[in-house]
Structures are given as structure tokens and as C-alpha cells.
Short mmCIF file of all heavy atoms in Angstrom, two decimals:
data_model
loop_
_atom_site.label_atom_id
_atom_site.label_comp_id
_atom_site.label_asym_id
_atom_site.label_seq_id
_atom_site.Cartn_x
_atom_site.Cartn_y
_atom_site.Cartn_z
N GLY M 1 19.56 -1.02 -5.03
CA GLY M 1 18.77 -0.50 -3.92
C GLY M 1 17.30 -0.31 -4.23
O GLY M 1 16.56 0.30 -3.46
N LEU M 2 16.85 -0.84 -5.35
CA LEU M 2 15.44 -0.74 -5.71
C LEU M 2 14.63 -1.73 -4.87
O LEU M 2 15.12 -2.82 -4.54
CB LEU M 2 15.26 -1.04 -7.20
CG LEU M 2 15.83 0.02 -8.15
CD1 LEU M 2 15.96 -0.54 -9.56
CD2 LEU M 2 14.95 1.28 -8.14
N PRO M 3 13.40 -1.38 -4.52
CA PRO M 3 12.60 -2.22 -3.60
C PRO M 3 11.98 -3.44 -4.29
O PRO M 3 10.76 -3.58 -4.39
CB PRO M 3 11.52 -1.25 -3.10
CG PRO M 3 11.33 -0.30 -4.24
CD PRO M 3 12.70 -0.11 -4.83
N VAL M 4 12.82 -4.33 -4.76
CA VAL M 4 12.34 -5.56 -5.39
C VAL M 4 11.79 -6.48 -4.32
O VAL M 4 12.39 -6.68 -3.26
CB VAL M 4 13.46 -6.25 -6.20
CG1 VAL M 4 14.65 -6.60 -5.33
CG2 VAL M 4 12.94 -7.47 -6.94
N MET M 5 10.60 -7.01 -4.56
CA MET M 5 9.94 -7.88 -3.59
C MET M 5 10.50 -9.29 -3.69
O MET M 5 10.96 -9.73 -4.75
CB MET M 5 8.44 -7.89 -3.85
CG MET M 5 7.79 -6.52 -3.74
SD MET M 5 6.07 -6.50 -4.34
CE MET M 5 5.27 -7.60 -3.17
N ASP M 6 10.46 -10.02 -2.59
CA ASP M 6 10.89 -11.40 -2.58
C ASP M 6 10.04 -12.21 -3.55
O ASP M 6 8.81 -12.11 -3.54
CB ASP M 6 10.79 -12.00 -1.18
CG ASP M 6 11.85 -11.45 -0.23
OD1 ASP M 6 12.88 -10.97 -0.73
OD2 ASP M 6 11.62 -11.49 0.99
N SER M 7 10.67 -13.02 -4.36
CA SER M 7 9.95 -13.86 -5.31
C SER M 7 10.80 -15.08 -5.61
O SER M 7 12.00 -14.97 -5.84
CB SER M 7 9.67 -13.09 -6.61
OG SER M 7 9.31 -13.96 -7.66
N VAL M 8 10.16 -16.24 -5.60
CA VAL M 8 10.90 -17.48 -5.87
C VAL M 8 10.60 -17.99 -7.27
O VAL M 8 10.96 -19.11 -7.62
CB VAL M 8 10.54 -18.57 -4.83
CG1 VAL M 8 11.00 -18.17 -3.45
CG2 VAL M 8 9.04 -18.87 -4.85
N THR M 9 9.94 -17.15 -8.07
CA THR M 9 9.57 -17.56 -9.42
C THR M 9 10.09 -16.56 -10.44
O THR M 9 10.95 -15.73 -10.14
CB THR M 9 8.04 -17.68 -9.55
OG1 THR M 9 7.44 -16.40 -9.27
CG2 THR M 9 7.49 -18.72 -8.59
N HIS M 10 9.54 -16.62 -11.65
CA HIS M 10 9.96 -15.77 -12.76
C HIS M 10 9.40 -14.35 -12.66
O HIS M 10 9.78 -13.49 -13.44
CB HIS M 10 9.49 -16.39 -14.08
CG HIS M 10 8.00 -16.57 -14.13
ND1 HIS M 10 7.36 -17.59 -13.46
CD2 HIS M 10 7.02 -15.86 -14.74
CE1 HIS M 10 6.05 -17.50 -13.67
NE2 HIS M 10 5.82 -16.47 -14.44
N ILE M 11 8.50 -14.11 -11.72
CA ILE M 11 7.89 -12.79 -11.55
C ILE M 11 8.85 -11.89 -10.76
O ILE M 11 9.38 -12.29 -9.72
CB ILE M 11 6.56 -12.89 -10.79
CG1 ILE M 11 5.62 -13.90 -11.46
CG2 ILE M 11 5.90 -11.52 -10.67
CD1 ILE M 11 5.14 -13.52 -12.82
N VAL M 12 9.06 -10.66 -11.25
CA VAL M 12 9.94 -9.71 -10.57
C VAL M 12 9.13 -8.45 -10.24
O VAL M 12 9.03 -7.52 -11.05
CB VAL M 12 11.15 -9.35 -11.44
CG1 VAL M 12 12.11 -8.43 -10.66
CG2 VAL M 12 11.88 -10.60 -11.91
N PRO M 13 8.51 -8.40 -9.05
CA PRO M 13 7.70 -7.23 -8.67
C PRO M 13 8.53 -6.17 -7.96
O PRO M 13 9.38 -6.48 -7.13
CB PRO M 13 6.65 -7.83 -7.72
CG PRO M 13 7.14 -9.20 -7.35
CD PRO M 13 8.43 -9.47 -8.05
N LEU M 14 8.26 -4.92 -8.31
CA LEU M 14 8.97 -3.79 -7.71
C LEU M 14 7.92 -2.95 -6.97
O LEU M 14 7.01 -2.38 -7.58
CB LEU M 14 9.64 -2.97 -8.81
CG LEU M 14 10.78 -2.04 -8.42
CD1 LEU M 14 11.93 -2.80 -7.76
CD2 LEU M 14 11.29 -1.29 -9.65
N MET M 15 8.06 -2.89 -5.65
CA MET M 15 7.06 -2.21 -4.83
C MET M 15 7.11 -0.69 -4.99
O MET M 15 8.19 -0.09 -4.98
CB MET M 15 7.26 -2.57 -3.35
CG MET M 15 6.29 -1.89 -2.40
SD MET M 15 4.56 -2.29 -2.75
CE MET M 15 4.48 -4.00 -2.21
N VAL M 16 5.93 -0.08 -5.16
CA VAL M 16 5.81 1.38 -5.21
C VAL M 16 4.94 1.85 -4.05
O VAL M 16 5.29 2.77 -3.32
CB VAL M 16 5.23 1.84 -6.57
CG1 VAL M 16 5.07 3.37 -6.57
CG2 VAL M 16 6.12 1.40 -7.72
N GLY M 17 3.77 1.21 -3.89
CA GLY M 17 2.92 1.52 -2.74
C GLY M 17 1.97 2.68 -2.92
O GLY M 17 1.30 3.09 -1.97
N ASP M 18 1.89 3.21 -4.14
CA ASP M 18 1.00 4.33 -4.41
C ASP M 18 0.57 4.26 -5.88
O ASP M 18 1.42 4.17 -6.77
CB ASP M 18 1.71 5.66 -4.14
CG ASP M 18 0.86 6.86 -4.49
OD1 ASP M 18 0.00 7.23 -3.67
OD2 ASP M 18 1.04 7.42 -5.60
N PRO M 19 -0.74 4.31 -6.17
CA PRO M 19 -1.19 4.13 -7.55
C PRO M 19 -0.77 5.26 -8.48
O PRO M 19 -0.45 5.03 -9.65
CB PRO M 19 -2.72 4.07 -7.41
CG PRO M 19 -3.03 4.76 -6.13
CD PRO M 19 -1.87 4.46 -5.23
N VAL M 20 -0.78 6.49 -7.99
CA VAL M 20 -0.42 7.63 -8.83
C VAL M 20 1.06 7.57 -9.20
O VAL M 20 1.43 7.77 -10.37
CB VAL M 20 -0.76 8.96 -8.11
CG1 VAL M 20 -0.27 10.15 -8.94
CG2 VAL M 20 -2.26 9.05 -7.87
N ARG M 21 1.89 7.26 -8.22
CA ARG M 21 3.32 7.17 -8.51
C ARG M 21 3.63 5.98 -9.42
O ARG M 21 4.50 6.07 -10.30
CB ARG M 21 4.11 7.03 -7.20
CG ARG M 21 4.38 8.37 -6.53
CD ARG M 21 5.32 8.23 -5.36
NE ARG M 21 5.86 9.50 -4.94
CZ ARG M 21 6.70 9.66 -3.93
NH1 ARG M 21 7.09 8.61 -3.23
NH2 ARG M 21 7.17 10.86 -3.62
N ALA M 22 2.94 4.87 -9.20
CA ALA M 22 3.17 3.70 -10.05
C ALA M 22 2.88 4.04 -11.51
O ALA M 22 3.64 3.68 -12.42
CB ALA M 22 2.30 2.53 -9.59
N LYS M 23 1.77 4.75 -11.74
CA LYS M 23 1.42 5.16 -13.10
C LYS M 23 2.43 6.16 -13.65
O LYS M 23 2.84 6.11 -14.83
CB LYS M 23 0.02 5.78 -13.11
CG LYS M 23 -0.45 6.29 -14.46
CD LYS M 23 -0.64 5.15 -15.45
CE LYS M 23 -1.40 5.61 -16.70
NZ LYS M 23 -0.72 6.65 -17.46
N LYS M 24 2.88 7.08 -12.80
CA LYS M 24 3.83 8.09 -13.23
C LYS M 24 5.16 7.46 -13.63
O LYS M 24 5.75 7.83 -14.65
CB LYS M 24 4.05 9.12 -12.10
CG LYS M 24 4.89 10.32 -12.49
CD LYS M 24 4.95 11.34 -11.37
CE LYS M 24 3.60 12.02 -11.18
NZ LYS M 24 3.68 13.13 -10.19
N ILE M 25 5.63 6.50 -12.84
CA ILE M 25 6.89 5.81 -13.17
C ILE M 25 6.76 5.09 -14.50
O ILE M 25 7.65 5.14 -15.36
CB ILE M 25 7.28 4.82 -12.06
CG1 ILE M 25 7.59 5.58 -10.77
CG2 ILE M 25 8.49 3.97 -12.48
CD1 ILE M 25 7.69 4.69 -9.54
N SER M 26 5.63 4.41 -14.69
CA SER M 26 5.37 3.71 -15.94
C SER M 26 5.38 4.68 -17.12
O SER M 26 5.96 4.38 -18.18
CB SER M 26 4.04 2.97 -15.86
OG SER M 26 3.69 2.40 -17.09
#
């Protein structure tokens, strides 16, 4: 149920939508 973005290549992006939260998760 994680918000993985559509990708047809080797890149697997996971959408967060907020810079502070993205940094916090990292």
C-alpha cells in the first residue's frame, strides 16, 4: 500500500509530497 509511482524503468520512486517529511523518513 505504499505510494509507489508508475515507472517503466529501473527507477522506483515513492511519493511523499512534502520536503520535511521526505527528509524525516530518510
Side-chain angles (χ1 to χ4, degrees):
L2 292 164
V4 59
M5 300 170 64
D6 288 337
S7 164
V8 295
T9 60
H10 58 283
I11 307 293
V12 184
L14 200 59
M15 179 59 72
V16 178
D18 176 81
V20 175
R21 277 188 165 179
K23 178 66 168 61
K24 187 174 290 186
I25 295 167
S26 173

